[in-house]
Each structure stands twice: as C-alpha cells, then as structure tokens.
Amino acid sequence: MVDTGYENRAPATGERQRLRRLAQAALNADMTVDQVNTILDAVGGTLGDMDRTIGGLDGTIDSLDATLSRFGDTLDDVDATVAKLSDVVDRLERVTGRLEIIVGVAEFAVRPIVVLESLGRSIATGLGRLR
C-alpha cells in the first residue's frame, strides 16, 4: 500500500462532527427504512384481507343479482296473475248481474203463487172456523 500519511493523523474537529452527523443520518435513514418496511408489511396483510373481503362481497353481489332477477320474474308472474284474476272477476260480476236479474224475474213470477197460497190458507182457516 501507498503511505499517504493520513492514517496516523487524527481528523479535524469539524470533520469529526461532520462524520458523526453523517453516521447519525445513516442510522436515522436505516431506522426509517426499517419502519417503512414494517408499515409496508402491515399494509400488505391488510390489502390481502381486503382482497378476500372484496372477493366475498363480489360473490354476495352476484348472489343478490340472481335473487333480484328471480324476484323480478316473480313480480312479472304476479302481474300476469292479477290481470287474469281481473278478467275472472269481471266475468263473475257479469254472471252475478244476470243471476240477480233471474232472481228478480223469479220473485216477480212467484208473487201470484204466493198471493194464491196466502188466499188458500185464509180460505182454509176460514173454513176451519166455520165448522
């Protein structure tokens, strides 16, 4: 090796402070890197958990989509059934109206018979008293 003469000489006080500051800065940087690595490890775990959670949420949304589709189909079926029931109710109302007319006509036709029956009972009662 070449002798430069610097090995035996003590560094100057200003250089010593500069070296100390540089060494302290290097230690601080090393600690900061360690802290950042620790944070990144924690964030990595959290991101993995979030990925699983979002995957579960995606599955739930797919299931909800299928359920809503079935619900929509069911509502369509209910709408069709209500329309059919409305037609049935209309027919029943027409039949009921016709039956009311028939009952009215029958009551009108039976009145003379009821009057004759009442007259016959009155006569029978009167005859029964006479005896």
Side-chain angles (χ1 to χ4, degrees):
M1 265 182 69
V2 178
D3 183 19
T4 59
Y6 290 109
E7 288 87 23
N8 294 330
R9 199 174 82 173
T13 306
E15 284 183 38
R16 187 177 282 184
Q17 286 181 347
R18 183 171 172 252
L19 287 175
R20 281 185 189 167
R21 285 185 196 149
L22 287 174
Q24 187 63 41
L27 288 173
N28 289 342
D30 190 42
M31 287 176 46
T32 303
V33 168
D34 287 343
Q35 290 172 347
V36 168
N37 282 335
T38 302
I39 291 170
L40 288 177
D41 288 343
V43 168
T46 302
L47 289 176
D49 292 343
M50 285 179 66
D51 187 43
R52 284 189 297 277
T53 301
I54 289 173
L57 182 61
D58 284 345
T60 302
I61 289 172
D62 290 343
S63 175
L64 178 63
D65 188 37
T67 301
L68 288 176
S69 177
R70 285 195 315 261
F71 185 66
D73 293 342
T74 301
L75 287 178
D76 291 342
D77 291 344
V78 168
D79 287 343
T81 303
V82 167
K84 290 175 184 177
L85 284 176
S86 178
D87 291 343
V88 170
V89 168
D90 289 342
R91 290 180 198 152
L92 286 174
E93 286 177 348
R94 287 194 302 266
V95 168
T96 303
R98 290 177 188 159
L99 285 174
E100 288 174 349
I101 292 170
I102 291 171
V103 168
V105 169
E107 286 176 349
F108 184 74
V110 172
R111 272 191 197 153
I113 296 172
V114 172
V115 170
L116 284 175
E117 179 187 3
S118 179
L119 181 63
R121 286 184 188 197
S122 296
I123 292 173
T125 303
L127 290 175
R129 285 189 188 165
L130 293 177
R131 285 190 187 185

